[in-house]
Amino acid sequence: MELPRKPQAIQAICVLAATILLLRIESVDGRHHYPWESFEYCAISCRAHSASLTDFGGVGDGVTSNTKAFKAAIDYLAQFEEDGGSMLFVPPGKWLTGSFNLTSHFTLYLHKDAVLLASQDENEWAVIEPLPSYGRGRDASGGRYISLIFGANLTDVVVTGDNGTIDGQGESWWKKFRKGELQFTRPYLIEIMYSENVQISNLVLVNSPSWNVHPVYSSNVIVQGLTILAPVTSPNTDGINPDSCTNTRIEDCYIVSGDDCIAVKSGWDEYGISFGMPTRQLVIRRLTCISPDSAVIALGSEMSGGIQDVRAEDILAINSESGVRIKTSIGRGGYVKDIYVRGMTMKTMKWVFWMTGNYGSHPDNNYDPKALPVINNINYRDIIAENVTMAAKLEGIQGDPFTGICISNVTIELAKNTKKLPWNCTNIEGFSSGVVPQPCGALPDKGPEYIAACNFPTDSIPIDNVEIKTCSYRRKHLLNNHVMKHL
Ligand SMILES: *[C@@H]1O[C@H](CO)[C@@H](O)[C@H](O)[C@H]1NC(C)=O
Ligand SMILES: *[C@@H]1O[C@H](CO)[C@@H](O)[C@H](O)[C@H]1NC(C)=O
Ligand SMILES: *[C@@H]1O[C@H](CO)[C@@H](O)[C@H](O)[C@H]1NC(C)=O
Ligand SMILES: *[C@@H]1O[C@H](CO)[C@@H](O)[C@H](O)[C@H]1NC(C)=O
Ligand SMILES: *[C@@H]1O[C@H](CO)[C@@H](O)[C@H](O)[C@H]1NC(C)=O
Ligand SMILES: *[C@@H]1O[C@H](CO)[C@@H](O)[C@H](O)[C@H]1NC(C)=O
């Protein structure tokens, strides 16, 4: 299946000239060693220093815990923060590990045959404070297990590879969650908070205990080329959740999950309102999503710090519940405004358009019933959908209508056995043009001359101009005396 392609904004694209070169030799004990590694990769910054996990006692047998090896490696490499930065190379192997923390001016690189296996031992996971903009953990009140790969207060951090794998081994967490046996909120796979200049790219993430990638309170974030897979029945395995982040670009991702493929957030009710940190300047392009019970892109439901200037284009949705969905509630406050969606192809959908003003789900009973969300200037254009159960369910809030909704150039082919009204709109205002089947009365058709009227900005946001460099890694492997001396 081919995604529609559109001309790119001006941006430097890293094109790899060479592929990985790994010289493998077999030693007397029959084990394989890789004395030289040399390859190129794409990143926002290249690094002057590097080390391999095996230099720090890492064992890739899938059984030995590498938590200490990761900690030792990154503690050692942190000394190069102000001296050209560093990279930790994870070679082929199965590397069982508990949570570890990243550092600044640092790259974690996973070889294509490297698999990080998340420990299933709860003791390997520190419990940290709930997010201030949420006031509590999502699974349980109080603390939350730290993410497998965690970073806070960093600048210039890259997690990448040539499609190496991070396996969250989520099954046991999902079971405990379903049985209500968890004392704390489940861990995510990657969480980066209070940071800037972040890149997460070219990885395969499977079976996360909960959300996969969570950049929060951060800016200048690039998420690229991720393949994210979880059973469609797994609980809360959202793909990528930009949360109170500014200047974010998510592109070329393929996500199959048990919850929203992308969920844009900014805090929960009174906690999100008082924290007051919006998500804005977000570009999402060339996303393929399969999410039978959730949205391709959800805006909310936690949106109390506000969501503004989201641009989504070239999206392919297959067998998903809804497209770009707004989820909010009385008590959320905040806003969702200036949302632009262009170029979506959808196959087998429950709803093409869905907005929900009564999502409920409050952190506690202290939310302010007068805190009404403002939903305004929401644009959808150039959409083709087939095998659809309902075209739209657009449900604003009584006394707080969702306004400025524009839908143009949309063709929806309903599934053969649909009986219901294709459009159901309450408490919304806007207009439409060139939409089949004919929208509800709240979205009057302005006529064919308005078919291209729904806005999509022509300027670019700053993250689109960030240069991705071609970096090279070449290192004599095995015992590196310089490194060993420091252990
Ligand atoms: C990582 O940082 C968090 C927050 O500062 C801390 O609670 C945790 O113990 C650290 N983890 C490790 C393995 O050092
Ligand atoms: C990061 O910085 C924030 C805000 O300055 C601070 O509240 C928090 O304790 C720091 N977190 C860590 C893990 O260093
Ligand atoms: C990584 O996977 C993506 C998606 O399957 C693919 O397009 C890309 O070429 C792969 N990259 C490498 C370096 O193998
Ligand atoms: C309508 O959308 C289709 C893609 O679905 C696109 O090819 C076409 O150019 C659009 N028409 C206008 C007038 O923008
Ligand atoms: C259409 O959607 C239904 C579910 O609503 C699904 O069972 C069926 O396989 C789909 N048909 C096609 C041709 O994709
Ligand atoms: C339309 O949506 C409203 C509000 O969610 C609901 O009460 C009503 O039953 C729906 N109407 C139809 C015909 O489905």
Side-chain angles (χ1 to χ4, degrees), residues 97-108:
T97 183
S99 167
F100 59 89
N101 291 337
L102 303 172
T103 189
S104 289
H105 304 291
F106 175 76
T107 298
L108 177 69

Side-chain angles (χ1 to χ4, degrees), residues 14 41-46 107 158 160 199 467-471:
C14 163
Y41 63 100
C42 300
I44 51 173
S45 327
C46 305
T107 298
V158 177
T160 190
Q199 174 186 339
E467 190 194 352
I468 305 274
K469 301 179 180 109
T470 303
C471 303

Side-chain angles (χ1 to χ4, degrees), residues 381-384 409 451-452:
R381 57 179 285 184
D382 308 344
I383 295 174
I384 295 178
N409 187 27
I451 193 150

Side-chain angles (χ1 to χ4, degrees), residues 264-266 279 299-300 303 306-310 335-337 339:
V264 183
K265 295 177 185 283
S266 66
T279 288
L299 305 169
M303 40 59 71
I307 295 174
Q308 183 177 19
D309 192 359
V310 177
Y335 51 83
V336 176
K337 60 187 180 190
I339 308 299

Side-chain angles (χ1 to χ4, degrees), residues 31-42:
R31 285 163 67 181
H32 293 137
H33 294 283
Y34 300 83
W36 280 98
E37 285 118 18
S38 167
F39 56 86
E40 293 189 332
Y41 63 100
C42 300

